[in-house]
Amino acid sequence: MRVDCSCGAGAVVSRTERDKQNPNAADLYCSCTKPECGHSFVASLGFKHSLNLPASFPAGVTLDASVQGTRIFCGCGERATIQKTNRLSINVSDIYCHCSGCGHRFVMYRAYAYTLSPSALTTNELAVALIRSIPPSARRELKQQLSLF
Ligand SMILES: [Zn+2]
Ligand SMILES: [Zn+2]
């Protein structure tokens, strides 16, 4: 499971905690791998929706998925693999998962929750790093939004 820091560098997950309200979600405690940054933060990871249900499943049965540590488990109990991560915005990503046990394909969300200790990078350095880390289409959108100021 890869989590990105707001500076665009990768972050490591030091521990996870199950969400008390939502059994299909967990809080990930992350810290940036870039020594100059030092940002540590909490991201939440949870089940969003199914893309398909296994053909062998009876109609009307729904499957979900849950998080254990930094691993994602399909509702059938098998560990699911991450196929791709789709960054929707700076703080939110969709994670596409597949369970090889039953064939369930589903989407998990990962969202930045809050900062534990702020980055040592300056606001300008962070802004530049951030803009570099987002896809060109999102960059164009951001440019338009910025031009409104
Ligand atoms: Zn960072
Ligand atoms: Zn499964």
Side-chain angles (χ1 to χ4, degrees):
M1 162 76 43
R2 194 190 140 92
V3 182
D4 292 320
C5 173
S6 49
C7 75
V12 284
V13 180
S14 54
R15 70 188 173 93
T16 59
E17 223 167 69
R18 191 169 289 263
D19 190 312
K20 285 166 197 73
Q21 268 99 50
N22 179 359
N24 296 324
D27 285 342
L28 309 180
Y29 287 77
C30 311
S31 42
C32 182
T33 51
K34 198 174 179 173
E36 314 90 279
C37 174
H39 183 202
S40 61
F41 57 98
V42 177
S44 49
L45 177 69
F47 177 68
K48 200 167 172 184
H49 58 82
S50 290
L51 294 170
N52 80 327
L53 285 172
S56 59
F57 265 63
V61 171
T62 54
L63 262 184
D64 55 12
S66 60
V67 187
Q68 285 169 38
T70 55
R71 289 166 180 184
I72 296 166
F73 283 84
C74 171
C76 78
E78 286 287 326
R79 188 176 165 191
T81 50
I82 296 171
Q83 299 201 299
K84 71 174 171 127
T85 303
N86 190 8
R87 198 162 192 175
L88 302 178
S89 74
I90 284 162
N91 293 328
V92 184
S93 300
D94 272 353
I95 303 170
Y96 288 78
C97 306
H98 176 235
C99 168
S100 54
C102 70
H104 183 204
R105 286 176 197 279
F106 56 94
V107 184
M108 301 290 285
Y109 67 86
R110 190 182 59 216
Y112 167 80
Y114 55 90
T115 288
L116 295 169
S117 86
S119 171
L121 296 175
T122 65
T123 314
N124 278 2
E125 282 170 333
L126 269 179
V128 170
L130 256 179
I131 290 162
R132 281 200 185 123
S133 73
I134 59 175
S137 59
R139 228 178 279 177
R140 274 194 296 278
E141 208 171 286
L142 186 69
K143 223 170 168 180
Q144 279 170 7
Q145 285 166 348
L146 287 174
S147 68
L148 299 175
F149 290 104

